[in-house]
Amino acid sequence: MQIDRALQLDAELPLAHQARAATLRMMARVPEALRAAETAVRLAPGDADNLAVLAWVQVAAGQTDAARSTIDMALPLYPIAPGYVNRAEADVRCAAGELDAALAAIDRCIERAPRYAWCRIMRAILYVELNRLEDAKRDAALFRELQP
């Protein structure tokens, strides 16, 4: 990965560890992602994005309580949380069984970034879980428009 090259140049660069964590998480290499996210937070503990990525990875690692605590630390650090952070929060809340809170986070994501396809599909999934099938069909159709 190119990110590894950045870390060879500067192993103490928190953003590189954060990017590595997110990339590894998307590759389903969760243990490595967790180590990278933890390193990013250790290097820059007050960075909201580092905390949000750590929470997202903790969910994938099955560490739901830790993820909830981590996202709760991250959110107040943003004046207005970006869509990808709302998505991470929704993942955390969903994993914790807090479906209404997850839906509220996804609604904030869509309000701020209406073309962010992942939030559309996540909301469709939440609507299915909440037995709101017509709403789920509508969002699934919107997702297909965004991701043909």
Side-chain angles (χ1 to χ4, degrees), residues 109-125:
C109 175
I110 291 171
E111 176 184 308
R112 293 177 185 139
R115 298 192 53 78
Y116 186 18
W118 282 109
C119 285
R120 289 284 178 189
I121 198 63
M122 179 70 174
R123 189 163 74 175
I125 292 166

Side-chain angles (χ1 to χ4, degrees), residues 14-39:
L15 183 58
H17 289 282
Q18 178 198 116
R20 188 170 195 278
T23 301
L24 290 166
R25 166 62 183 90
M26 288 184 278
M27 296 169 67
R29 292 167 54 184
V30 176
E32 292 171 88
L34 189 58
R35 284 191 298 278
E38 289 169 344
T39 300

Side-chain angles (χ1 to χ4, degrees), residues 34 37-38 41 45 47-59 63-78 85 88-89 92-93:
L34 189 58
E38 289 169 344
V41 170
D47 185 294
D49 280 347
N50 287 344
L51 291 165
V53 168
L54 176 59
W56 185 54
V57 173
Q58 287 170 323
V59 166
Q63 299 176 3
T64 305
D65 290 338
R68 186 187 302 126
S69 175
T70 303
I71 201 69
D72 287 343
M73 286 188 291
L75 290 171
L77 300 175
Y78 291 100
V85 172
E89 179 189 6
V92 170
R93 304 296 181 215

Side-chain angles (χ1 to χ4, degrees), residues 83-84 86-87 90-91 102-103 105-128 132 134-147:
Y84 63 88
N86 299 131
R87 170 69 203 284
D91 286 348
L103 184 59
I106 283 296
D107 285 344
R108 285 189 298 277
C109 175
I110 291 171
E111 176 184 308
R112 293 177 185 139
R115 298 192 53 78
Y116 186 18
W118 282 109
C119 285
R120 289 284 178 189
I121 198 63
M122 179 70 174
R123 189 163 74 175
I125 292 166
L126 285 167
Y127 281 149
V128 169
R132 293 174 54 181
E134 290 306 313
D135 291 328
K137 289 176 187 176
R138 185 192 67 241
D139 267 10
L142 288 168
F143 174 78
R144 285 191 299 276
E145 288 176 18
L146 295 170
Q147 297 286 316

